[in-house]
Amino acid sequence: MASPLDHQKQNAMKKINQHRKNATLFVAVFIAAIMLSLKAYSQTTQTIRGRVMDEVSKTPLIGVTVQVLGNFESPLGNATDADGFFAIANVPTGRQAIKVSYIGYEEQTIPNIIVTAGKEVILNLSLTESVAQLNEVVITANNKDDKTATNNDLATVSARSFNLDDTKRYAGALGDPSRMAANFAGVIGGNDSRNDIVVRGNSPTGMLWQLEELNIPNPNHFGALNSTGGPVSMLNNNNLDKSDFITSAFPAQYGNAIAGAFDIRLREGNNQKIEKVAQIGFNGFELGMEGPFSKKSKSSFIVNYRYSTLGVFQALGIEFGTGGNTPNYQDLNYKLTFPTKNNGKFTVFGILGNSSIDLLGSKIKKDDLRKPSGSDLYGNENEDSYPQYGTTINGLSFEKNLSKKTFAKFTLGYSTTREKFTADSLTRNVDLDVTGKFKRAEAKFNTDKASFVFFTRTKFNSKNSLTSGVYIDHNTFNLFNRDLFANVNKDTVRVDISDNNTLSQAYTQWKHRFSNKFSFSAGLHAQHYSLNNQAVVEPRGSVTYQMTGNKSLSFGYGLHHQAPSVYTSYAQTKTPAGVIYSNKNLDFVKSNHYVLTYDWNLSETLRLKAEAYYQELSNVPVERNASSFSAINTGVSFGPSDKVNLVNRGTGKNYGVELTLERFFSKGYYFLFTTSLFDSKYKGSDNVERNTAYNTQYVVNALGGKEFRVGRNKNFLSLNLKVTTIGGRYLTPLNFAASQAQVQAVYNEDLAFSEKQQAYFRADFRIAYRKEFKRSTLEYSLDLQNVTGNQNIFAQTYNPRTNSIANQYQQGFFPVPFVRYTF
């Protein structure tokens, strides 16, 4: 049975999508204003610069040759200085590729570097020392030439990297890392209106988010407690550096997660010149700036501020006929960098954001109330609710080479989440006028986390390295949630607790390279949870063999655990003897991951990857008495679970095969084809095997794009298409008679997740245009989402006023404009 908090969050997602449509008409004015004020140039150039370091020890490499590939009148290239820095001036705008070579190290090629007039290109590169010490090493099959190669070289299976260009280029991604990741094999978007992702049949709550090594809370606006997604990301893609996404058998560095991990890195600001960006689009109005603190300083800053598009219009008094139901959100992303002597560096970074929306059923028009199904209503007609959210993430780090062989980094962090809501029930007369209002529910969830992180890597020689680290997260929380029943003058308190706990984690992983073709790594991850004094040790390992013909074969294994949420642990039952916390002694959920990977670089630009996996889950919280409930499915709704008397007796399994065929951008076009065939099952305390809420059984994604040079000034026009089809969701059928009797949705839990819906289908189309000026760049695009307007069922609920079952549909067609100006 859905809670008031759950209904409120679903309604909020609908309302936010409605407002995105309303903003579309205003973007054309923004584009025209910029176009009229600028003059185009036929050919412009820019500078590519950066730094080259050893991949493991992070020591700067001196004398590395960095060359821009292509036919130029004179060679474009340079060598790194004593601190590993290089700069290449007068590089033509457009897509460029560079080659990085150094005696004793594996050569690396970086393709598809987008060079624009409005911004310098700054690259942080790392080279891998060759096991065989030759005079010159040239390896055409080196995985570093693969643009999907991860920052973390220990992530050898089920992992890939992404960058700013990936989040912008794919149709439907909207600059959001989570929505972009939904294009990868084994990943499914949990809901069109949000960016929660389902990885290989696991709940979205099993995801880990890391930012600059810190374990962080949900980095999304309207992101509820226990969730890992939301409708709008707080991560500003203009601040993103190359980051990693891992879907199984994680290296020992990652813990307290069983589904997947985002390892997010923020880029440093330009330390030589001031650069600015102005942007309007899906996520709102945005202004950003980066540069040095002074002309003589090597220190830099980068900061970006964003405010919701509809919030700006409302502040200006512009009304869209939707009353006061306007989503408001704002966020700030920043990073400050202060180099020190002897290759040291202090960094201060953070993300700050808040969001709110008033969902006023009392403002819904009577004509909408008279619609037969009520399925198109943006809000609950019988309720006014007021959710508010706030998140802060701040960190301070210091890194330094302790020797030529050892690198170390210390990080301190402090993060907070604030969530508050109230809901008022409405009464109406036969004419549908509101005649009364009384409080229905209220909640307040506050969390504070103080973090300490230590990370070190030692390269003993070209064959052996050791990576180790520690995480200590001290959590303080204040949770309160209750439902009120005015008709009987009673309430039910779901949770009411103020407490703290500490999650301590330590890991170490050794990597041995037998040769340039054969490597092995093994590690351990340990974690201790102070709430119930539980401790576990997890083995991790992988083997990779580079076969002939640019093929490789890898196997990975990992044992992973995740602590129960604090809300679940403190869900309470009130008895005459006092309050009982029956879930407080819940143990970690356990998951064994096995992955086999076959990778074939068919050419320099074409890659085929196949993976098979098996995941075995145990210790899953289920009810003490026989039932279909399992915590595996808790991420299917946006509110927390109020279940009590839980025990660690549930099980589950996920297994499947995935195929990826990818053509990296070359000669003006790219494509990405991914498909996944899988099965996801679980057993509750009744020991009946059922489909999980995420068992869609298959997903197919087909993406492609073409870039053209058009007009007298050879500007850039790109067309991008994405088509997705996903197997139908399994839903729990409504018990119509019980819903009528209780005047709210009641589901037949004995038949949990037994009714399969129609297959999901969606097509997105994106058209983008980039114009280069002498010292600036203008980009604008139009993302046409769900261009076929296909109606995909998300859930079913009961409408008490119409006494009928109402389908809740996923997002319909809407256009999303975007404009970005860098200068």
Side-chain angles (χ1 to χ4, degrees), residues 477-604:
F477 47 89
N478 187 331
L479 311 177
F480 176 75
N481 185 18
R482 70 167 178 162
D483 295 334
L484 295 95
F485 306 96
N487 56 333
V488 292
N489 197 29
K490 290 185 178 180
D491 68 356
T492 299
V493 177
R494 307 294 184 181
V495 64
D496 184 7
I497 189 70
S498 294
D499 205 345
N500 63 84
N501 61 51
T502 301
L503 179 65
S504 303
Q505 304 175 71
Y507 65 91
T508 187
Q509 189 153 355
W510 166 60
K511 181 176 181 179
H512 178 73
R513 303 171 66 210
F514 296 94
S515 67
N516 287 333
K517 293 186 175 181
F518 185 35
S519 64
F520 166 81
S521 72
L524 291 173
H525 181 278
Q527 58 189 43
H528 174 268
Y529 191 37
S530 68
L531 179 64
N532 48 21
N533 201 30
Q534 300 284 351
V536 290
V537 177
E538 306 166 337
R540 313 279 178 89
S542 66
V543 179
T544 299
Y545 178 64
Q546 291 282 144
M547 299 181 290
T548 57
N550 298 336
K551 305 180 183 72
S552 69
L553 190 65
S554 302
F555 174 77
Y557 166 75
L559 175 59
H560 309 276
H561 291 82
Q562 185 174 29
S565 72
V566 292
Y567 186 98
T568 298
S569 296
Y570 283 100
Q572 68 182 47
T573 304
K574 191 174 182 180
T575 69
V579 174
I580 297 175
Y581 302 108
S582 57
N583 298 338
K584 192 172 180 181
N585 290 321
L586 284 174
D587 202 348
F588 294 104
V589 178
K590 177 182 177 181
S591 184
N592 282 284
H593 291 193
Y594 307 85
V595 183
L596 181 65
T597 302
Y598 175 75
D599 216 330
W600 184 9
N601 289 315
L602 299 167
S603 68
E604 291 183 358

Side-chain angles (χ1 to χ4, degrees), residues 143-162:
N143 75 325
K144 283 291 181 179
D145 291 350
D146 174 7
K147 84 173 192 70
T148 66
T150 54
N151 292 320
N152 190 335
D153 64 299
L154 299 175
T156 57
V157 297
S158 301
R160 65 174 292 156
S161 65
F162 62 92

Side-chain angles (χ1 to χ4, degrees), residues 185-204:
V187 184
I188 302 172
N191 177 1
D192 282 353
S193 65
R194 293 171 58 94
N195 61 13
D196 309 77
I197 56 173
V198 174
V199 178
R200 292 180 171 173
N202 288 288
S203 167

Side-chain angles (χ1 to χ4, degrees), residues 28 169 204 284 348 466 539 569 615 631 654 695 785:
R169 182 177 66 223
V348 183
L466 185 69
S569 296
Q615 299 176 352
N654 306 308
N695 191 21
Q785 304 225 327

Side-chain angles (χ1 to χ4, degrees), residues 435-508:
T435 58
K437 179 187 294 190
F438 55 89
K439 184 170 288 188
R440 174 69 179 87
E442 62 179 345
K444 180 183 290 186
F445 305 141
N446 294 338
T447 70
D448 293 72
K449 179 164 65 176
S451 303
F452 168 78
V453 181
F454 171 68
F455 169 84
T456 182
R457 294 200 76 176
T458 299
K459 184 173 77 173
F460 300 103
N461 51 47
S462 62
K463 291 187 175 183
N464 295 283
S465 63
L466 185 69
T467 303
S468 304
V470 173
Y471 301 98
I472 300 176
D473 294 318
H474 180 72
N475 303 281
T476 303
F477 47 89
N478 187 331
L479 311 177
F480 176 75
N481 185 18
R482 70 167 178 162
D483 295 334
L484 295 95
F485 306 96
N487 56 333
V488 292
N489 197 29
K490 290 185 178 180
D491 68 356
T492 299
V493 177
R494 307 294 184 181
V495 64
D496 184 7
I497 189 70
S498 294
D499 205 345
N500 63 84
N501 61 51
T502 301
L503 179 65
S504 303
Q505 304 175 71
Y507 65 91
T508 187

Side-chain angles (χ1 to χ4, degrees), residues 208-508:
L208 169 70
W209 283 95
Q210 277 195 357
L211 180 70
E212 299 285 325
E213 275 87 40
L214 282 180
N215 297 321
I216 64 170
N218 184 349
N220 290 281
H221 289 298
F222 304 95
L225 181 72
N226 301 334
S227 70
T228 58
V232 181
S233 176
M234 289 194 301
L235 289 166
N236 191 307
N237 68 341
N238 288 313
N239 285 48
L240 283 182
D241 205 348
K242 181 182 176 183
S243 301
D244 293 344
F245 177 61
I246 309 169
T247 59
S248 203
F250 329 133
Q253 177 180 342
Y254 308 103
N256 199 39
I258 59 174
F262 273 108
D263 188 347
I264 302 296
R265 305 299 172 93
L266 301 177
R267 66 182 183 86
E268 297 178 4
N270 193 322
N271 63 2
Q272 294 186 9
K273 61 181 291 189
I274 296 290
E275 296 175 332
K276 297 174 281 293
V277 61
Q279 182 172 304
I280 177 175
F282 169 81
N283 290 333
F285 286 98
E286 180 179 328
L287 293 173
M289 179 182 290
E290 62 181 284
F293 282 99
S294 68
K295 293 182 179 180
K296 297 181 180 180
S297 173
K298 292 184 179 180
S299 301
S300 67
F301 70 89
I302 177 171
V303 59
N304 276 269
Y305 173 76
R306 177 171 50 194
Y307 194 87
S308 56
T309 309
L310 270 295
V312 171
F313 293 146
Q314 185 186 47
L316 295 174
I318 301 173
E319 180 56 61
F320 298 99
T322 55
N325 299 344
T326 300
N328 289 285
Y329 51 87
Q330 58 184 325
D331 55 65
L332 180 76
N333 287 218
Y334 71 93
K335 187 173 185 178
L336 315 177
T337 306
F338 306 93
T340 63
K341 295 180 179 180
N342 300 319
N343 203 38
K345 181 170 65 178
F346 278 103
T347 302
V348 183
F349 60 91
I351 301 173
L352 316 174
N354 61 59
S355 51
S356 65
I357 183 171
D358 294 344
L359 298 165
L360 305 178
S362 58
K363 299 294 185 181
I364 297 177
K365 296 179 180 179
K366 291 183 181 181
D367 289 342
D368 290 329
L369 291 174
R370 293 188 177 98
K371 291 181 179 179
S373 67
S375 61
D376 295 327
L377 298 180
Y378 287 94
N380 185 338
E381 64 187 63
N382 299 312
E383 187 175 275
D384 284 351
S385 56
Y386 309 89
Q388 301 175 25
Y389 305 85
T391 301
T392 67
I393 302 166
N394 294 284
L396 168 66
S397 66
F398 177 70
E399 60 185 74
K400 185 176 176 59
N401 291 99
L402 304 181
S403 68
K404 291 184 178 180
K405 298 288 187 179
T406 301
F407 169 82
K409 183 176 181 179
F410 301 84
T411 304
L412 297 175
Y414 195 83
S415 59
T416 67
T417 66
R418 301 289 184 263
E419 181 179 350
K420 178 182 178 181
F421 84 92
T422 58
D424 298 329
S425 287
L426 309 174
T427 58
R428 297 178 182 272
N429 59 23
V430 293
D431 294 324
L432 301 180
D433 297 312
V434 175
T435 58
K437 179 187 294 190
F438 55 89
K439 184 170 288 188
R440 174 69 179 87
E442 62 179 345
K444 180 183 290 186
F445 305 141
N446 294 338
T447 70
D448 293 72
K449 179 164 65 176
S451 303
F452 168 78
V453 181
F454 171 68
F455 169 84
T456 182
R457 294 200 76 176
T458 299
K459 184 173 77 173
F460 300 103
N461 51 47
S462 62
K463 291 187 175 183
N464 295 283
S465 63
L466 185 69
T467 303
S468 304
V470 173
Y471 301 98
I472 300 176
D473 294 318
H474 180 72
N475 303 281
T476 303
F477 47 89
N478 187 331
L479 311 177
F480 176 75
N481 185 18
R482 70 167 178 162
D483 295 334
L484 295 95
F485 306 96
N487 56 333
V488 292
N489 197 29
K490 290 185 178 180
D491 68 356
T492 299
V493 177
R494 307 294 184 181
V495 64
D496 184 7
I497 189 70
S498 294
D499 205 345
N500 63 84
N501 61 51
T502 301
L503 179 65
S504 303
Q505 304 175 71
Y507 65 91
T508 187

Side-chain angles (χ1 to χ4, degrees), residues 4-12 359 383 385-387 421-422:
L5 179 59
D6 212 29
H7 283 306
Q8 172 185 252
K9 289 171 182 175
Q10 294 178 15
N11 294 331
L359 298 165
E383 187 175 275
S385 56
Y386 309 89
F421 84 92
T422 58

